Structures are given as C-alpha cells and as structure tokens.
Amino acid sequence: MSSNIYDFSTLTGSIHAWLSGLMSTGWVTFTEMVLVGLAFLLMYALLGLFLVYAERKVCAFMQNRVGPNRVGPYGIIQTIADLIKLLMKELIPIRKSDPLLFNLAPFIVIICSFLALAALPYAKGLQAIDFNIGVFYVMAVSSLSVVGILIAGWSSNSKYSLIGAMRSGAQIVSYELSVGLSLLAIVVFAGTMQLSGIVESQADGWWIFKGHIPAVISFIIFLIASTAEINRGPFDLAEAESELTAGFHTEYSGIKFAFFFLAEYMNMFIVAALGATVFLGGWMPFHVGHWEGFNNIMDYIPSVVWFFSKTFFLIWVIMWFKWTFPRLRIDQLLTLEWKYLLPISLFNIVFIAFIVLMGWHF
Amino acid sequence: MSEEIIKDVIIGENEDYIINMGPQHPSTHGVLRFEVCLKGETVKYLIPHIGYIHRGIEKMCEANTYPQIIHLTDRMDYLSAHMNNEAVCLLVEDALQVEVPERVKYIRTILDELNRIASHQLWWCAFGMDLGALTSFFYGLRDREHILDIFEESFGSRLLHSFVMPGGLMHDVHPNFQKRIKEFITYFRKKLPEYDQLLTGNVIFQNRVKGIGHMSKETAIGYGVTGPSGRGSDYSCDIRKIAPYGAYDKVQFNEILETGCDTWARYKVRMAEMWESLSILEQLVDNIPEGDYTAKMKPIIKLPAGEYFQRVETARGELAVYAVSDGNKSPLRMRFRTPNFSNLFVMNEITAGHKIADLIAISGSLDLVIPDIDR
Amino acid sequence: MNSILEYFADIFKGISSLWAGMRITGKYFFSPGEIVTQQYPENRATLKMEDRFKGEVIMPHDENNLHACTGCGICEMNCPNGSIEIITDRVANAEGKMERVIDKHIYHLSMCTFCELCIKTCPSNALAWGQKFEHAVFDRSKLTKVLNQPGSKLRKEAK
C-alpha cells in the first residue's frame, strides 16, 4: 500500500487528542458528535444546492438551452434564491388531511437520506462510522424513505398523491432486490460488507475492471435499479409530472416541498456515492495491478477529489438517463424488474460465486 | 380520521374512484376536464367535460363581416391558424365565384404545409413530454422556431397570422420567403432523423405506445375522427385528396395511411406527414408563379342569399365551415365543424381498460387543441 | 430455445435503441450548436424586429408633424373589436368651407387583435404597424392611445 494518499485519520485523531486534553471522555464524544453533525448538515445543504444547480445546467445543455444565467455569474446563486423563495412561501394546510402524518412525512424522507451519509467513506480515513455491514446499512436506510413517501401520499387526502405513493411503494420494494443483488456481487468479490474494506480491496484495480463481465453487468443493473429506487426519470412514476401533476408531493408547499426535493437529490448523491465506492473504487485512485510508478503518480491526486469526481460522474449519467428517456408505465416497470433485472442479477451472482470459488478474478 | 377520508372523499357514492384530470392538469394541454373513473390504475370510463374556454365564436361571426370573421378563426385551432383562415376565405370566394390568382393558390398551399409541419412539431414535443421525455419538447420547439421566423418575416406575427383575405392575401410575401423556406427544408431534413433516434426508436417509447388506444376503422368513422388520428385507423379522409383546394391538385403527394389503429399508428402517420409536407414544399417553393397577390374584390363583401359549405384539411383533421347568408354583409348563421371536437369524444371508447399513463399517451396521440373543441 | 434467443435479442435491441437516444442528448451536451434562446433584456440594443412585425398600430407623422388621416372612419368601421374610436371636428378652411379634420384618433391597444384590417382598408394609408412590443403597463388606461400627435395636421396633397 503506497503512503502517498493523505490519511484523514491523522487529522481526526489530532482533533480527538486535542479535545481529550480539554474535557472528560463523555464530553469529548458529545462534542465530536455535534461537530460531525454540523459538518454533515453543512455538506448536505451545499451538496443539495449544488446538485439542483447542476441538474438544471446539465438538462439545459442537453436540451440546447442556456439554463439559469440571471442570478449571479452563470446563475450559480439561482438555487439559493429559490431556497429563499421556498422558505418564504406559505405552508398550506390541507383540509381533511392527517396533520401529524402530513407534517411528519418530509422529515422521515430527509432523515433517511441523512442517515445514509454517515456510513459513506469520503476519503481515506474520512468516514463518520465504519460499520462492518456498511453496504447493508446504506441500503437499508436509503430504502426507508419509501415510508415517508407512502405517508405523504396517504395523509395528503389527494387522489393524485395516493396513486403516486402506491406506485412508489410497488416500485421501491421490487427494485430494492436488484440493487441488493448487484451490490452483493461485489460483496462476494471483496469478501466483506465493510465499505472501507471494499475500498481497500480495490487498491490494485477497481472491481468494475477486476471483476470481468459479471461486474460490468451488475454495475449496469445497479445503475438502472438505483435510478428506479430514487424515483428519478425514466422511473419517476411516483411523481409522473404529466400524469399525476406532482404525485406524492402534490399537496406540499414551501419548505416541506423543498425537503422532498432536497431528499430526492441527496438520494441521488447517495446511490451515486455507493456505486462509486463499490464499483469504481470510492476514494481509491486509479490503480493498475503492479505498475508502481503509475500508481504513485495517481496517488498525488487527493482521495477526496477521486471520490467526488466518480460520484459526480455517476450523477451525470443518472441525469443523462432522465433527460433522454420517456417514462415507463407501471406494469412495464415491474416487468423490467421481475422479468429482466432480477433473473439476470440472480444468474450473475451465481456466476460470480463460481468465479470467486475458482479464483479467476484478479 | 382515516375512515372519514375514505368514506367522504376517496370513494364516491357508487364506490367509483373518480379522479378529475383538469381543467388545470399538465397533460390536457389546456382547460379540458376528464372525469376519469379508475379501478386501481385502470380506467373504467372517462367523461370529457368541455366548455371552459367557450368564447362563442360562431355567434360572434353573425355580428361580423366576412373579412372580420377571418381573424376569429385564428383563435379556434391556433396551431393551424392558416388553414382555419383559408377555410372561410375559400367559402367566400366560392360563394362569390371569384377566381383567385394562381400565385395566391401556391402561396396558400405553401403556408398550409408550413403550418402543418409547425403543428406536427409541436405535437411531437408535447407527445414526448406527455410520455416523460422532456428533452423532445425543446428539440421540437427549437426547429419550430425556424418556421415561426419565416411567418414573422412575412406576416408580422408568429402564431395568429390573419394573412389570408377573401380573394387573396393581405399583402405579398416577403422577398426572402422562398429562400428561407428552402433553408428550412434542408435544415429540417437533417433534424427529422434525430427525432426518430431520440423517440421513435426508443424501446421504452415503443412499449408505451404500441397496442394501446385501439380505434377501429368503424369507430373512427362512427365518431367522425378525421385527420392523422383517423388515418392511423386506415380511414382515408384527407380533404387534400378528396376535394383538392389551393394548389393541391398540382402536387404529387401520398395520403399517409396506417393500419395499426393504435397510438403507435397515429404517431407514425404524423411523423410521415412531416416528411410528406416537406416534399410538397419542395415541389411548390420554386414554382410560385408571378402575379397579383389578390383578386379584385368589392370593398364590402356581401354573399348572395343561400347556404355555403367548405371544408379544408387542418393539421388535426377536417374543418368544415357552413354559412347561411341572407344577402347581408355578415352571415345569418355560421357553423364550424372542428376536427378536435369529434376527435375528443372517441376518448372514452378507446381508453377504457387502459392504465392512467396510457390515457395520457392516447390523448396526446389525438393531438387535442382545446380552444378548437370549445370554439 | 428460440424464446431464450428472443429474450436476449430483446435486451440487446432495447439497449441499443436507448443508446441511440443517449447519443443524441450526449452530442448536444458537448456541442450544443445553435441555441435559439434569446437573451432578451440584454439584447435590446441589437434586437431588430421584422419590418412587418405587428407590434401596435401607429399613425406615421412626417417631420412637419403632418399625418395622412382624413378622419373618414373606415378603420373604425372595419375594426372587429371596436378598438378604434375617431373623434372628428369641423373647422373652416382657408376658403371658408367647413372641413372634417380629426380631433383624436383613439386606439385601444388592450382590445386590439392585430387583424390588420384597419391598416389594409385605410384609403389614405394613414396607419401602419409599429415595431414596439413592450406593452406591459401597470394601468390599463395607459393602453388607450391617441395616435395623432398634438398639433398635427392633415398632409395636403399637391393638387
């Protein structure tokens, strides 16, 4: 293992040592939790704002348009202006809605996306919690957001919302399987569910290159299924703008709508980050086998840059999907999952197990 | 709380799950309301409610002189404004036995076809958007902009150009007219294959439109579905072929017929009509004869007493105008048989048993323009 | 066996058709080509409307503040919406005969549907299209315009 990559654990360790000198162990833990929470809040807000802006610019370029260009240079302050607008808008109470659930739903959705952020490795040594079941944990919490969507649809007392929520339920429950199986493929390769362990195992090459064709197949399946899982086009049936006006968040206004909106973008970031970590090596620079010189040069690019560039590349691909394809119908969506993705990923995982058993992978 | 919701709101008296699509709904393209009865996601029946944008154009015609009626017809089917204008002009010319110059006929036909392409482009954009492919909307509008620029140069307005007068045209076309149309033809011939790559060939799109909204030939004739929607059901109803007007008898073109009877067939008819319109434009644009841009007309047009009837092919089907005159300068009664009105009411017949998403695709494939329905 | 082949052929055909669509959007992402969007308020200085653009009805006046309107009222008669009102006056001319002149040619822009009948039917070509299109105002009464300029007179043709 080369030592050129900066290890953030030295920084976090020195902060820990400094705090330990100031206060007792309990307070140190408390202060560190507050600091990490604040850091995540800041990152969440910044990423959300950036992703909304990026989406608008990307779709504008794909559609031969200019995109936001009025607020600030190249329109970079546009999303902040939108955020201020959303904050100032009235929160409209819906008659005969279920007020508790109606107000709770946006928080459930946004908390789920928050939870998943904790386990992702952003750089070497920069990870809030390194679960030994990291992949499983991220999958579990990110799929919890369907509960919030179902609650939102049910409590809004709107038929459009209800149909949207029910669609979303069917969709996420079935696509969860394919996401899980495609991630499991790499878990079989790496032999661990720990995200940091999976990243370390890619030090001599990313799994998408090391894992032969089965890894590529499971990467494609992961991209398709995770796009469906985060309710983005062409699988945005839950909000299906032309059919259900806005689906499950039809009745939400102001900052509550902004929560759904933000959570959608953060979920996109989470699946892209997970895909980048598992298939494309996470923060691990581009390494080829035993080319020590080449690997050392690659190590000079900081690991944070590697992680975020891979993540944003995947986000761009997901956006590319959305701005190219028409929306699927609900039965076609389920056909795609149960007749194509699931059998293929099942065969794929058996194949991978065979490869690993024979030791054919690099 | 929840029981109350179920009892009062979600389930109606006869336990039908009624959902109102419109008057403000993104996919009805205007103020049209569908009362849709659902079973799960499947449509049981559908009742269209119209009249939200009724302006009484037929009644207003009775108070206006014939030249004044022209600008009202713009506002019916605003996407084929020129064809609507031409229908009234042809009626007046026919009643007065006026022989319009050849130049006028050629220019009118060119404008018809340009307008048809512009209308089909907008239909393509909106159809893609209805199915969730938002990018198609911008590509279609980008190319439509070129046609609208030609219109703006010659007529001064982009959408509602009351350019045709009884007896001829308002004024002569702009000197650049022919050059710009030729530029547009070469431009659009390059862009049209992109439409096919982006949407027509797409497997998701094909699955969405194939085999849904089956409208048999009998149904199409029974409901009076005309235009590309009717021709998708193998119903030969092109007025340009049946009763040629303008310069349509001088050009070679095919009436596009599809036997699929479904949304996919209607889609293919419109895409093929764009190619066909381009070829008509190519035949006409170089052969515009010189001459007057209008026939000699009296300053006040009075139709002799009697009944008059004229029909033209708009971008959406057959527009028929029926006028009763008592010899005055305004008609006693004016009636428009607009294509969208007939096309709309077949919706219930062809959507029953399909999903909500199909309902959107079917209504998109009929290419409804709401002000044309309500008049 | 055939059905299995069909299954994989379907997948292959599907993916290739999706890739064809993605190529188009990807191509425009990297080389947008012609962008038809106009940067409107910024390009006001260079924005040139077509000569025939129907912005509003105007009455052209020459440098001596003379116009061609005789106040015959044909435009008022031909207007389908009643957007034109003509208020005429009778004044004695040099020879002592009473003559009709326009006092006010009132044009309600808010009611105009831009059908061009007034301009087309005017016997003395007194009206024309103006290219101004920024008509948004806060008060509707501002859309009622008097087309003849104050103090303007009828242009006398040399007999």
Side-chain angles (χ1 to χ4, degrees):
Chain A
M1 195 62 225
S2 63
S3 55
N4 279 333
I5 308 170
Y6 177 72
D7 196 342
F8 276 88
S9 55
T10 53
L11 177 72
T12 48
S14 64
I15 292 174
H16 179 77
W18 177 64
L19 284 174
S20 302
L22 290 177
M23 48 190 98
S24 64
T25 326
W27 280 107
V28 167
T29 315
F30 178 74
T31 319
E32 282 174 354
M33 279 166 76
V34 169
L35 282 177
V36 169
L38 282 176
F40 273 123
L41 263 180
L42 191 70
M43 193 187 87
Y44 197 93
L46 287 178
L47 270 179
L49 290 176
F50 173 74
L51 284 178
V52 175
Y53 173 73
E55 165 100 328
R56 286 178 166 185
K57 273 293 188 192
V58 166
C59 84
F61 290 145
M62 283 183 179
Q63 295 170 342
N64 258 354
R65 290 187 290 127
V66 186
N69 65 342
R70 291 301 154 106
V71 192
Y74 302 100
I76 45 174
I77 319 178
Q78 181 68 50
T79 33
I80 295 173
D82 285 343
L83 185 75
I84 294 168
K85 181 205 78 174
L86 283 170
L87 276 169
M88 293 201 298
K89 274 179 90 170
E90 186 192 356
L91 294 171
I92 298 166
I94 307 299
R95 204 188 332 153
K96 286 200 178 170
S97 68
D98 195 326
L100 175 71
L101 294 180
F102 185 73
N103 292 324
L104 188 66
F107 292 99
I108 293 180
V109 171
I110 208 157
I111 284 170
C112 292
S113 61
F114 244 113
L115 287 174
L117 283 180
L120 294 171
Y122 298 97
K124 192 176 184 183
L126 196 64
Q127 192 175 9
I129 314 161
D130 192 9
F131 283 115
N132 56 353
I133 48 161
V135 176
F136 181 70
Y137 169 79
V138 174
M139 286 265 315
V141 289
S142 65
S143 62
L144 265 182
S145 64
V146 69
V147 177
I149 290 174
L150 277 173
I151 289 176
W154 170 253
S155 62
S156 297
N157 184 21
S158 162
K159 294 172 184 180
Y160 288 122
S161 304
L162 189 60
I163 295 175
M166 291 304 152
R167 282 179 174 190
S168 172
Q171 179 181 338
I172 292 184
V173 165
S174 33
Y175 275 82
E176 197 64 22
L177 290 168
S178 287
V179 177
L181 285 173
S182 55
L183 287 176
L184 213 55
I186 302 304
V187 171
V188 171
F189 273 132
T192 174
M193 271 194 170
Q194 199 171 13
L195 281 170
S196 60
I198 290 177
V199 176
E200 291 294 344
S201 70
Q202 303 182 68
D204 54 344
W206 303 343
W207 278 121
I208 192 162
F209 301 125
K210 285 202 296 180
H212 306 291
I213 291 167
V216 177
I217 291 174
S218 54
F219 178 64
I220 292 168
I221 289 174
F222 174 80
L223 265 186
I224 296 171
S226 60
T227 311
E229 206 201 327
I230 55 177
N231 278 330
R232 274 186 66 82
F235 307 100
D236 55 345
L237 288 106
E239 34 187 286
E241 190 237 336
S242 60
E243 294 155 28
L244 306 175
T245 57
F248 63 92
H249 59 64
T250 307
E251 305 294 341
Y252 285 89
S253 64
I255 196 67
K256 282 193 239 168
F257 162 74
F259 276 5
F260 280 117
F261 196 60
L262 208 58
E264 186 194 319
Y265 282 98
M266 287 316 288
N267 281 333
M268 181 164 73
F269 175 77
I270 288 160
V271 294
L274 190 63
T277 306
V278 172
F279 291 97
L280 302 179
W283 51 260
M284 189 61 72
F286 184 66
H287 285 173
V288 183
H290 302 292
W291 300 6
E292 288 302 333
F294 179 78
N295 292 353
N296 281 335
I297 293 166
M298 282 292 157
D299 288 347
Y300 281 110
I301 301 172
S303 51
V304 186
V305 174
W306 277 106
F307 175 78
F308 279 99
S309 52
K310 285 170 196 172
T311 308
F312 287 134
F313 171 72
L314 285 188
I315 287 174
W316 179 74
V317 170
I318 291 175
M319 284 175 181
W320 194 8
F321 287 158
K322 165 153 184 171
W323 298 108
T324 307
F325 300 141
R327 188 181 302 117
L328 278 82
R329 204 167 58 204
I330 182 74
D331 56 327
Q332 290 163 355
L333 182 89
L334 298 178
T335 309
L336 174 67
E337 163 66 17
W338 295 102
K339 284 195 182 161
Y340 293 92
L341 296 186
L342 190 64
I344 292 173
S345 45
L346 277 173
F347 275 112
N348 198 32
I349 207 160
V350 171
F351 193 43
I352 284 171
F354 186 69
I355 287 176
V356 172
L357 202 66
M358 304 301 281
W360 284 346
H361 66 288
F362 297 111
Chain B
M1 192 66 195
S2 321
E3 284 83 355
E4 196 189 355
I5 295 173
I6 296 169
K7 221 179 281 171
D8 290 4
V9 186
I10 293 179
I11 297 175
E13 271 176 25
N14 49 3
E15 305 213 336
D16 278 347
Y17 190 90
I18 305 280
I19 190 163
N20 272 310
M21 284 204 163
Q24 286 91 28
H25 189 273
S27 69
T28 52
H29 302 191
V31 279
L32 171 69
R33 177 157 75 96
F34 289 129
E35 195 182 321
V36 188
C37 176
L38 296 177
K39 189 172 196 302
E41 282 231 5
T42 312
V43 178
K44 267 166 85 181
Y45 60 84
L46 171 150
I47 306 169
H49 291 266
I50 61 167
Y52 287 94
I53 192 165
H54 178 66
R55 292 147 298 171
I57 284 180
E58 287 169 358
K59 191 71 187 166
M60 279 158 83
C61 290
E62 294 169 18
N64 280 324
T65 62
Y66 291 99
Q68 287 175 349
I69 287 171
I70 307 284
H71 93 287
L72 290 174
T73 58
D74 272 349
R75 272 84 183 165
M76 294 196 310
D77 182 352
Y78 48 82
L79 293 177
S80 33
H82 177 79
M83 289 88 127
N84 293 1
N85 294 344
E86 197 181 359
V88 177
C89 291
L90 287 172
L91 178 121
V92 173
E93 284 153 14
D94 191 40
L96 294 175
Q97 306 286 324
V98 180
E99 188 58 44
V100 294
E102 282 294 295
R103 182 178 176 80
V104 174
K105 284 184 179 173
Y106 271 73
I107 290 174
R108 279 182 182 178
T109 312
I110 287 173
L111 297 184
D112 270 355
E113 293 308 315
L114 270 182
N115 216 325
R116 195 182 313 279
I117 293 176
S119 170
H120 283 349
Q121 278 171 339
L122 193 71
W123 158 80
W124 183 79
C125 320
F127 191 52
M129 201 175 64
D130 281 348
L131 296 175
L134 292 151
T135 301
S136 73
F137 190 75
F138 293 95
Y139 290 173
L141 283 187
R142 176 197 66 198
D143 300 340
R144 183 166 171 264
E145 198 73 8
H146 290 84
I147 296 184
L148 296 189
D149 283 344
I150 298 173
F151 286 166
E152 190 183 349
E153 192 180 41
S154 267
F155 327 143
S157 46
R158 296 163 76 81
L159 196 64
L160 305 173
H161 34 78
S162 317
F163 188 63
V164 197
M165 291 277 281
L169 306 169
M170 200 59 113
H171 37 72
D172 211 346
V173 290
H174 198 273
N176 285 343
F177 188 64
Q178 276 156 294
K179 193 185 99 209
R180 291 192 70 161
I181 288 179
K182 274 184 257 177
E183 279 169 11
F184 169 75
I185 293 171
T186 37
Y187 169 82
F188 196 51
R189 274 193 188 279
K190 266 186 280 176
K191 293 289 177 188
L192 207 43
E194 274 185 12
Y195 289 21
D196 288 339
Q197 284 170 35
L198 184 69
L199 211 56
T200 317
N202 194 306
V203 64
I204 303 174
F205 176 78
Q206 293 200 355
N207 283 332
R208 278 295 300 276
V209 295
K210 270 183 183 166
I212 63 159
H214 187 270
M215 173 165 62
S216 64
K217 191 175 176 181
E218 287 73 30
T219 316
I221 295 172
Y223 279 88
V225 179
T226 49
S229 311
R231 290 197 282 279
S233 298
D234 200 23
Y235 169 32
S236 169
C237 54
D238 198 333
I239 307 298
R240 295 176 292 173
K241 280 279 185 199
I242 298 169
Y245 54 94
Y248 281 117
D249 48 354
K250 296 180 188 67
V251 289
Q252 293 289 318
F253 70 101
N254 300 319
E255 182 180 0
I256 314 289
L257 285 175
E258 286 282 342
T259 47
C261 304
D262 56 357
T263 306
W264 173 236
R266 294 191 277 278
Y267 177 87
K268 280 198 289 184
V269 168
R270 286 201 171 82
M271 293 306 275
E273 274 195 5
M274 280 201 254
W275 286 107
E276 208 61 43
S277 293
L278 281 179
S279 100
I280 296 177
L281 280 179
E282 270 180 343
Q283 292 174 46
L284 289 175
V285 71
D286 280 328
N287 302 325
I288 302 177
E290 293 298 320
D292 277 343
Y293 63 84
T294 180
K296 201 100 180 103
M297 297 293 281
K298 285 180 191 144
I300 292 172
I301 296 169
K302 285 183 181 173
L303 258 57
E307 295 176 16
Y308 304 100
F309 182 74
Q310 178 65 47
R311 50 187 188 158
V312 296
E313 177 81 13
T314 74
R316 277 160 200 78
E318 174 184 340
L319 172 75
V321 189
Y322 172 70
V324 182
S325 171
D326 55 355
N328 274 329
K329 58 181 181 177
S330 45
L332 188 68
R333 176 82 177 87
M334 198 91 178
R335 161 100 178 105
F336 295 104
R337 182 260 184 229
T338 52
N340 285 305
F341 185 80
S342 316
N343 292 4
L344 167 70
F345 284 94
V346 80
M347 278 287 286
N348 181 28
E349 187 95 353
I350 62 178
T351 49
H354 288 303
K355 300 270 184 293
I356 307 177
D358 294 337
L359 164 67
I360 307 300
I362 293 167
S363 87
S365 78
L366 290 177
D367 193 12
L368 301 172
V369 167
I370 313 304
D372 196 34
I373 297 169
D374 289 343
R375 298 197 286 289
Chain C
M1 192 61 207
N2 249 351
S3 62
I4 294 172
L5 277 180
E6 251 172 54
Y7 178 86
F8 285 107
D10 275 357
I11 294 175
F12 183 74
K13 262 188 260 167
I15 289 176
S16 61
S17 77
L18 296 178
W19 176 242
M22 284 173 74
R23 266 214 323 264
I24 296 287
T25 43
K27 186 187 96 189
Y28 281 116
F29 181 80
F30 289 111
S31 62
E34 175 206 25
I35 290 178
V36 291
T37 317
Q38 294 191 8
Q39 302 295 323
Y40 162 56
E42 286 86 358
N43 72 353
R44 268 164 104 168
T46 55
L47 185 64
K48 176 88 176 64
M49 302 310 290
E50 307 284 353
D51 295 337
R52 297 179 176 184
F53 179 72
K54 296 176 180 178
E56 57 178 346
V57 175
I58 54 167
M59 186 184 283
H61 288 64
D62 61 12
E63 63 277 8
N64 302 324
N65 207 10
L66 299 176
H67 58 74
C69 179
T70 56
C72 62
I74 287 179
C75 52
E76 187 181 5
M77 222 164 64
N78 270 293
C79 181
N81 320 297
S83 14
I84 294 177
E85 275 178 66
I86 294 173
I87 300 170
T88 49
D89 213 354
R90 287 194 164 273
V91 287
N93 63 359
E95 290 137 32
K97 274 201 226 153
M98 295 300 272
E99 198 176 50
R100 184 181 59 192
V101 292
I102 54 165
D103 183 20
K104 274 178 181 168
H105 188 296
I106 298 171
Y107 168 55
H108 298 278
L109 180 58
S110 52
M111 288 199 270
C112 184
T113 48
F114 305 96
C115 64
E116 213 179 331
L117 283 175
C118 49
I119 294 167
K120 176 84 180 165
T121 53
C122 182
S124 44
N125 289 331
L127 297 174
W129 284 119
Q131 269 72 47
K132 189 167 163 269
F133 60 93
E134 291 154 324
H135 293 309
V137 285
F138 282 105
D139 188 356
R140 196 170 51 179
S141 62
K142 282 183 187 154
L143 290 175
T144 300
K145 302 185 176 187
V146 179
L147 292 189
N148 54 328
Q149 289 167 9
S152 62
K153 283 206 180 67
L154 175 65
R155 191 186 302 128
K156 293 275 192 264
E157 303 294 329
K159 281 180 188 159

